[in-house]
């Protein structure tokens, strides 16, 4: 039988302890052991991007990381993306732009979109398209996803302009920041 | 598919890792960023007896200036390279090439050392290091070796690394103002492995000196086009005869075939990417 | 369109409004319910040992090592599973002469494609099941594989099924007029081309997934699956597991993409059901990506040789072609694998006036994975063949590609029209759609720019397609041939005590927004706010009997059934209201959840109040009033075998003639799918479809070697279109509602996939034309384009 390792980590703000076999990957752990089935398994080789989630503020493929490697980590999955301002805005924008059909790619798309927005991405559609080009969507043809991301960036830019014009006002609350920033 | 079972060790120090690696009891497979190894395991193409996870070895994660070189620890991730000011100032070829390597989420985990140790013939990094005349520091429990990139990459997934050694760091000469670098690849989709690609370093242009023209994704490993370099060194960039001669020498390279391109197609594309990369040899230091 | 404003055209109508999908919020918050999300007590996991050979005798199987793995529950070889199953045979009586041998879940004596399941392992986890699969030892005797469709039918080629006298599954000829004679004559220009279409596959992001429960006490089976046709699957499971149909329940909750892939009978899924029955515990099978590529149906492997003849005015005088297609070792059940070829025979040239027509189709068996219906069945081939011949011949006679279409497209006022192939068309708008396309894309400007670009060494091309799409099929598609596939759909709508509507309908949701448009129709027709409408689909225990969602029928057929049910329920509710309010029903209407006077719009009664009277205080009703607050209606298309839509599309591409790379710069679509229920959702169907079509034209191909080995069965190697390379897609609509229904909606799900390949092919060849070369093979990969450009060197 496989060797098991005890791990302790934070998942969506909750402390979790578990004993896991070494070969169990992170997304299977989240789905099968914690019941967080929002992250999806599409290819198990890092190509489709459906399992993309945040580990210590960095977006990674959940199928290309072992659960044991998440010991001590802070994991945010799609179930908690809405708790950050960016995540909530992007989820809303996805709904408004119908940036999803079957919804299977959506957790990973959101992860990449959040990453794009929070790393200061512009409304340039070519840039957005490149940034999400590691996430596969078979339904939408991508345009509505680009629209949804661009619209959040646009909203923020206009907010930033307003903020400049209104001394004292500060843009609040961006969690999900990259580690080390 | 799910990975087959394996034992797992996650040492905190390089020394512990090297001791484990030198043990005869169990066959260890070092795990760096895992962005190539994990897919291989998930396809059950790689079935390591023991996985030696290097991700907690802090001493392998550094980027530092050391005289005329930049030293990069093996466990530095691609995303960190892209964000590094030292890299931006001193290794402009990386700045050109790294955005073409896979996708953001992969670059957030993938490491330079992992890519070096894997020696995927389609990967960019071995070609970049050869074009930069970089050296690779490898360590074992009992010794340290410095191997030039030219001598390190031997074939498909084959390197000069011994089974008891790990890549410790990469030393890249800093670019100075006369240096020029070019990079061009033809990938069907952004972030894919290329059908053909090339990385070029030159100590100067007009005329070209110390050219290093290194192709990837055309042969069994990153391959220097030495004859093409010879045909161009000492020549001006508008010397079409020299360029024509250099392009002709490319037919002598060993091309591999795959489902997407015959060796003749690879040869044709090698000529195209070399011309395009030469035509945009960029300024070294901003 | 003229005439009075239709009810649905009024400003506040839910029909024609881009209502946001109510279920989208759930999906963006990670609250979907996909099959793999299901965890059941005592559930075990299946994995399969599949044939590594395309064609091999199975000499012996040793499962002893696999059985000894801790955590393994059972290891089943062929007979263990097959003996529990009545074999299925995938032929249809209306495809005359078609043949295909009986099939069973697991290969027993001979494996006939690489990837065919042979041994099933059931274990405590998928990982353990896979561990055990590696320990199963099978001795094979390799047989000569038959892969090439061109030689499969030839005498002397090994027989894939020795009991048949050849590898031919089906042949059909279509003859209209006299093409040979029409092609003679001094003023006739003829042009011939041979087209090759590569195999591709659906690559649904959620792979095929099944969880089966079996309850021994009452002999019932619950089949949770990721699929499009629950009632069809119920019939298949009932028949072949020999369970009473009413004892089989099929449930499809959220489906992570389908595109026709998930509408067939797969041996591994049937084996999963059998295993649950044998083990009396839930069994889960989630195909991994390698299994998906090697066992999800493929489509489109066709070689078509076509010939067109036009007179000096550019009028098409004849079109002939023959199509050879390979379908794998069997026909897929229950739709059969001859339909794609049949569609090509029926639809090639369909938008045009063509009197002299000859088509021949040959469907052969081969040792590759099975082929069957995938999004836009046959359309990409039919449209590419005809519209490529038309554009090529237009250049031959120095005519613009738009002009030649205008001369040949059936006039918008000519309908109804029966084509040379016997297809009945009505209410199409080819000319109006083409005009609208030309204006939207600024065609003349693009042509001018093209000239100056060419002078600068930039090779850009413009390519068009005019197409029809089969939608809203009648029983003439499958049912007529004996398949357990319903062409009618049903909807039940009930008004609950609180005044909310509950709709249950037999069409299914796979992300298109089916449930949303059903809610729109119910809300509009009945008269409530859409947030008071709840929709249930995808469960044979809870929805009326019907066909499901495929062949672009969800809106047109399922939608009409909801419309009819909503109308009926409204009449029933108004009868009750009239009785309570002591007035006549025809003086009342329902608006925004309230019963109102038609005359003055005055509010008379809230539906919640009506519901409470009916359900709680029925003592207040006169005894002769027997309220029915539920209505069910079914709908099928009766006037026509299919309700066709039409569209016109154009692509603008740039070919890098040094590398063979193609960049799609722009793409335009004018679609006439009749009444548009939700413009946003329709546009998104078209966009997604176009990108799948671009995939087929430029990227996607299941590559096999000569031994029948699939070479690129990973998502890194099989190239699906990704965001960076895809263009924004511009869409306009022409709305010609079909008079076959009250709703007037036709389908829109497949047009993009059906038309885009032709437009891209034409655009690439338009770009290459000044270099005197062309390509007629899809996907148009860089290497293939380079070979066309440099035939002597590469």
């Amino acid at each position: 039988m496989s060797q098991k390792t005890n791990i302790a980590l934070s998942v969506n703000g909750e402390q979790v302890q578990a004993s896991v076999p070494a070969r169990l990957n992170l997304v299977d752990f989240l789905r099968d052991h914690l019941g967080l089935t929002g992250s999806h398994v599409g290819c198990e080789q890092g190509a489709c991007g459906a399992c993309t989630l945040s580990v210590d503020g960095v977006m990674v493929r959940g199928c290309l990381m072992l659960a044991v490697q998440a010991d001590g980590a802070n994991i945010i999955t799609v179930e908690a993306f809405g708790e950050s301002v960016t995540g909530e805005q992007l989820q809303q924008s996805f709904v408004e732009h119908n940036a999803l059909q079957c919804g299977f790619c959506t957790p990973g798309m959101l992860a990449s979109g959040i990453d794009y927005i929070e790393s200061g991405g512009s409304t340039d559609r070519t840039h957005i398209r490149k940034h999400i080009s590691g996430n596969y969507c078979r339904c939408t043809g991508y345009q509505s996803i680009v629209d949804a991301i661009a619209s959040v960036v646009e909203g923020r830019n206009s907010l930033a302009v307003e903020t400049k014009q209104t001394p004292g006002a500060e843009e609040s609350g961006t969690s999900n920041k990259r580690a080390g920033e | 598919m799910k990975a087959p079972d394996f034992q797992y060790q996650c040492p905190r120090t390089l020394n512990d890792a090297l001791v484990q690696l030198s043990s005869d009891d169990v066959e260890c497979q070092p795990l760096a960023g895992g962005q190539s190894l994990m897919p291989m395991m998930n396809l059950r193409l790689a079935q390591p007896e023991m996985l030696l996870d290097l991700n907690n070895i802090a001493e392998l994660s550094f980027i530092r200036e050391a005289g005329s070189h930049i030293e990069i620890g093996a466990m530095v991730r691609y995303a960190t390279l892209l964000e590094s000011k030292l890299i931006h100032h001193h290794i402009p070829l990386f700045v050109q090439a790294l955005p073409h390597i896979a996708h953001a989420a992969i670059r957030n985990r993938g490491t330079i050392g992992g890519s070096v140790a894997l020696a995927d013939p389609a990967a960019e990094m071995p070609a970049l290091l050869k074009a930069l005349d970089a050296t690779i520091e490898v360590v074992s429990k009992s010794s340290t070796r410095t191997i030039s990139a030219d001598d390190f990459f031997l074939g498909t997934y084959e390197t000069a690394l011994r089974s008891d050694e790990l890549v410790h760091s990469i030393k890249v000469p800093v670019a100075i103002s006369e240096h020029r670098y070019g990079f061009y690849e033809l990938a069907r989709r952004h972030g894919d492995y290329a059908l053909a690609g090339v990385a070029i370093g030159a100590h100067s242009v007009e005329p070209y000196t110390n050219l290093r023209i290194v192709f990837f994704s055309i042969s069994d490993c990153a391959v220097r086009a030495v004859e093409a370099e010879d045909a161009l060194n000492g020549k001006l960039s508008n010397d079409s005869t020299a360029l024509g001669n250099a392009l002709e020498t490319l037919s002598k390279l060993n091309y591999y075939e795959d489902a997407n391109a015959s060796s003749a197609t690879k040869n044709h594309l090698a000529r195209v990417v070399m011309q395009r990369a030469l035509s945009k040899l960029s300024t070294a230091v901003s | 369109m003229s005439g009075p404003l239709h009810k649905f055209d009024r400003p506040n109508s839910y029909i024609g409004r881009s209502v946001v999908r109510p279920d989208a919020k759930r999906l963006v918050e990670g609250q979907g319910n996909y099959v793999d999300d299901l965890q059941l007590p005592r559930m075990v996991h299946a994995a399969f040992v599949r044939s590594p050979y395309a064609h091999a005798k199975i000499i012996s199987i040793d499962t002893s090592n696999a059985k000894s793995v801790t955590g393994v529950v059972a290891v089943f070889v062929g007979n263990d599973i097959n003996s529990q199953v009545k074999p299925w045979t995938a032929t249809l009586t209306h495809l005359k002469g078609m043949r295909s041998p009986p099939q069973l879940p697991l290969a027993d004596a001979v494996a006939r494609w690489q990837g065919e399941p042979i041994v099933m392992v059931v274990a405590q986890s998928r990982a353990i099941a896979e561990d055990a699969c590696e320990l199963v030892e099978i001795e094979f005797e390799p047989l000569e594989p038959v892969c090439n469709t061109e030689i499969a039918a030839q005498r002397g080629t090994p027989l894939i099924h020795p009991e048949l006298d050849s590898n031919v599954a089906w042949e059909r000829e279509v003859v209209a007029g006299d093409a040979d004679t029409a092609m003679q004559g001094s003023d006739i220009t003829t042009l011939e081309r041979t087209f090759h279409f590569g195999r591709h596959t659906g690559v649904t992001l959620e792979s095929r997934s099944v969880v089966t429960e079996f309850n021994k006490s009452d002999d019932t089976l619950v089949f949770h699956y990721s699929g499009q046709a629950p009632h069809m699957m119920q019939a298949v499971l009932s028949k072949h597991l020999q369970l009473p149909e009413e004892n089989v329940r099929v449930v499809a909750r959220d489906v992570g993409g389908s595109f026709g892939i998930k509408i067939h009978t797969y041996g591994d899924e049937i084996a999963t059901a059998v295993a649950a029955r044998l083990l009396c515990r839930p069994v889960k099978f989630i195909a991994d990506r390698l299994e998906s590529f090697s066992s999800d149906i493929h489509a489109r492997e066709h070689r078509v040789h076509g010939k067109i003849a036009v007179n000096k005015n550019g009028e098409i005088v004849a079109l002939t072609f023959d199509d050879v297609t390979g379908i794998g070792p069997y026909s897929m059940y229950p739709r059969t694998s001859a339909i794609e070829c049949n569609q090509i025979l029926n639809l090639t040239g369909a938008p045009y006036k063509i009197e002299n027509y000859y088509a021949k189709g040959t469907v052969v068996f081969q040792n590759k994975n099975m082929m069957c219906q995938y999004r836009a069945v046959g359309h990409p081939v039919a449209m590419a063949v005809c519209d490529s011949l038309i554009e090529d011949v237009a250049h031959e006679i120095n005519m613009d590609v738009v002009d030649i279409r205008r001369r040949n497209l059936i006039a918008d006022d000519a309908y109804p029209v029966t084509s040379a192939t016997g297809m009945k068309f009505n209410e199409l708008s080819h000319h109006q759609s083409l005009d609208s396309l030309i204006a939207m894309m600024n065609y003349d400007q693009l042509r001018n720019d093209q000239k100056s670009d060419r002078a600068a060494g930039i090779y850009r091309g413009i390519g068009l397609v005019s197409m029809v799409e089969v939608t809203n099929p009648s029983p003439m598609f499958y049912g007529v041939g004996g398949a357990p596939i319903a062409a009618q759909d049903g909807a039940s709508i009930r008004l609950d005590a609180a005044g909310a509507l509950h709709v249950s309908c037999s069409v299914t949701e796979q992300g298109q927004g089916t449930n949303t448009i059903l809610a729109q129709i119910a809300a509009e027709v009945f008269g409530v706010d859409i947030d008071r409408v709840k929709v249930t689909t995808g469960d044979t225990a809870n929805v009326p009997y019907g066909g499901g969602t495929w062949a672009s029928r969800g809106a047109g057929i399922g939608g009409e059934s909801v419309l009819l049910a909503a109308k009926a329920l409204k009449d029933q509710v108004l009868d009750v209201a009239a009785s309570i309010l002591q007035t006549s029903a025809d003086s009342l209407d329902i608006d925004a959840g309230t019963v109102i006077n038609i005359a003055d719009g005055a509010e008379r009664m809230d539906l919640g109040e009506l519901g409470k009277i009916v359900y709680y205080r029925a003592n207040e009703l006169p005894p002769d009033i027997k309220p029915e607050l539920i209505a069910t209606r079914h709908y099928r298309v009766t006037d026509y075998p299919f309700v066709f839509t039409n569209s016109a599309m154009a692509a603008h591409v740039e070919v890098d003639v040094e590398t063979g790379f193609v960049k799609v710069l722009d793409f335009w679509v004018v679609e006439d799918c009749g009444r548009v229920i939700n413009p946003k959702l329709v546009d998104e169907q078209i966009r997604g479809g176009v990108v799948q079509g671009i995939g087929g034209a430029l990227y996607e191909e299941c590559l096999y070697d000569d031994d029948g080995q699939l070479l690129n069965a990973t998502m890194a190697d099989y190239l699906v279109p990704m965001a960076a390379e895809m263009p924004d897609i511009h869409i306009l609509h022409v709305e010609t509602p079909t008079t076959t229904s009250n709703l007037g909606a036709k389908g829109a799900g497949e047009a993009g996939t059906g038309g885009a390949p032709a437009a891209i092919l034409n655009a690439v060849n338009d770009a290459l034309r000044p270099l005197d070369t062309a390509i007629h093979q899809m996907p148009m990969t860089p290497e293939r384009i380079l070979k066309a450009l440099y035939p002597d060197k590469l």
Side-chain angles (χ1 to χ4, degrees), chain C residues 436-443 446 461-465 647-653 664-671 686 690 727-732 755-756 759 763:
Chain C
S436 171
L437 178 78
I438 297 309
M440 166 165 59
M441 69 191 283
N442 210 348
Y443 180 80
L446 278 181
I462 301 155
L464 277 69
V465 63
S647 40
M649 305 186 191
H652 190 211
V653 306
V664 182
L665 302 167
D666 243 324
F667 203 96
W668 301 269
V669 179
V670 177
E671 166 80 2
I686 291 167
V690 165
D728 281 344
I729 295 156
H730 316 282
I731 300 170
L732 286 178

Side-chain angles (χ1 to χ4, degrees), chain A residues 1-3 5 21-25 28 41 43-46 52 58-61 63-66 68-69 71 112 115 130-131 133-135 178-179 181, chain B residues 1-9 12 31-36 38-39 41-44 51 53 55 79 83 100 103-109 190-191:
Chain A
M1 267 313 267
S2 43
Q3 164 200 349
T5 307
R23 63 161 147 178
L24 182 69
N25 69 41
D28 283 347
V41 178
C43 72
E44 301 177 297
Q45 64 163 144
T52 309
V58 176
M59 296 301 174
V60 304
R61 300 281 199 250
C63 70
L64 298 189
M65 190 171 161
L66 299 169
V68 290
Q69 293 183 299
D71 186 29
S112 287
D115 188 41
K130 276 192 179 168
H131 197 86
S133 67
N135 291 78
R178 265 173 184 281
E181 266 188 4
Chain B
M1 244 186 276
K2 308 296 176 193
D5 211 359
F6 50 81
Q7 298 170 52
Y8 176 79
Q9 290 286 333
R12 304 239 154 210
L31 172 69
Q35 304 302 286
S36 298
M38 290 275 300
M41 287 165 56
N42 287 350
L43 286 163
R44 295 195 174 227
L51 212 53
D53 187 347
N55 282 278
E83 286 167 6
H100 295 272
H103 306 284
I106 303 291
R107 292 193 297 265
N108 281 341
R109 287 291 289 175
H190 179 71

Side-chain angles (χ1 to χ4, degrees), chain B:
Chain B
M1 244 186 276
K2 308 296 176 193
D5 211 359
F6 50 81
Q7 298 170 52
Y8 176 79
Q9 290 286 333
C10 187
R12 304 239 154 210
T13 67
L14 179 59
N15 192 54
D16 286 353
L18 295 171
V19 168
Q20 182 64 56
L21 199 58
S22 66
S23 153
D24 292 332
D25 303 342
V26 57
E27 208 167 303
C28 271
Q29 168 65 56
L31 172 69
Q35 304 302 286
S36 298
L37 179 57
M38 290 275 300
M40 303 284 273
M41 287 165 56
N42 287 350
L43 286 163
R44 295 195 174 227
L45 295 172
Q47 307 212 351
E49 195 179 344
M50 171 178 280
L51 212 53
L52 186 67
D53 187 347
L54 309 178
N55 282 278
N56 281 358
I57 303 176
E59 63 200 285
L60 290 178
S61 290
F62 58 85
I63 303 174
R64 61 191 173 217
E65 207 167 354
S68 60
H69 288 80
I70 300 295
E71 289 182 1
I72 305 165
M75 288 302 292
V76 171
R77 302 185 197 278
Y78 281 109
T80 312
L81 288 174
L82 270 169
E83 286 167 6
S84 159
K85 288 204 170 98
L86 277 179
I87 300 293
H88 272 258
H89 286 144
H90 299 301
I91 316 182
L93 183 57
F94 274 10
V95 180
Q96 282 187 52
L98 296 185
H100 295 272
I101 300 178
H103 306 284
I106 303 291
R107 292 193 297 265
N108 281 341
R109 287 291 289 175
T111 63
I112 188 169
S115 183
V116 164
L118 182 66
D120 187 325
E124 289 86 351
M125 187 51 75
L128 297 176
L129 297 185
K130 279 189 167 187
L132 289 163
D133 196 14
T135 54
I136 292 132
E137 297 277 329
V138 305
V139 284
S140 71
K141 200 177 79 174
S142 52
S143 73
T144 302
R145 296 196 289 155
T146 300
I147 307 169
S148 75
D150 283 346
D151 297 332
F152 186 86
F153 301 104
L154 304 176
T156 303
Y157 304 125
E158 206 188 326
T159 68
L161 204 62
R162 293 196 309 256
S163 64
D164 65 338
E165 288 176 323
L166 288 174
V167 174
H168 174 272
S169 56
I170 321 294
K171 273 173 78 170
V172 182
V174 300
I176 58 169
S177 59
E178 291 78 18
H179 288 184
R180 294 291 182 272
Y181 298 96
F183 177 86
Y184 198 90
E185 70 169 38
L186 287 166
R188 295 294 316 277
R189 304 176 303 177
H190 179 71
D192 275 3
Y193 283 129
L195 281 178
V198 69
I200 301 180
H203 281 192
S204 68
V205 291
E206 317 306 358
Y208 292 117
T209 60
N210 292 80
L211 264 173
R212 287 179 154 262
I213 300 174
V214 191
F215 290 96
F216 56 93
S217 222
I218 63 160
S219 196
D220 62 349
C221 69
V223 57
R224 263 185 84 178
V226 178
E227 287 191 46
E229 294 168 5
D230 291 345
L232 289 167
N233 274 327
K235 303 291 185 348
L236 296 173
S237 67
N238 64 359
D239 183 339
S240 56
T241 311
L243 179 62
N245 291 339
L247 291 171
E248 281 314 301
T249 68
L250 299 184
S251 62
K252 297 180 198 165
L253 297 177
N254 256 330
Y255 297 94
Y256 67 25
E257 300 201 324
D258 59 30
N260 299 307
S262 67
S263 57
T265 300
K266 292 267 186 195
N267 181 194
H268 172 87
L269 294 176
R271 295 169 63 107
V272 175
V273 295
M274 186 175 93
Q275 266 185 282
R276 291 188 180 181
L278 282 172
S279 72
K280 50 176 234 174
L281 283 193
S282 64
T283 310
V285 184
S286 52

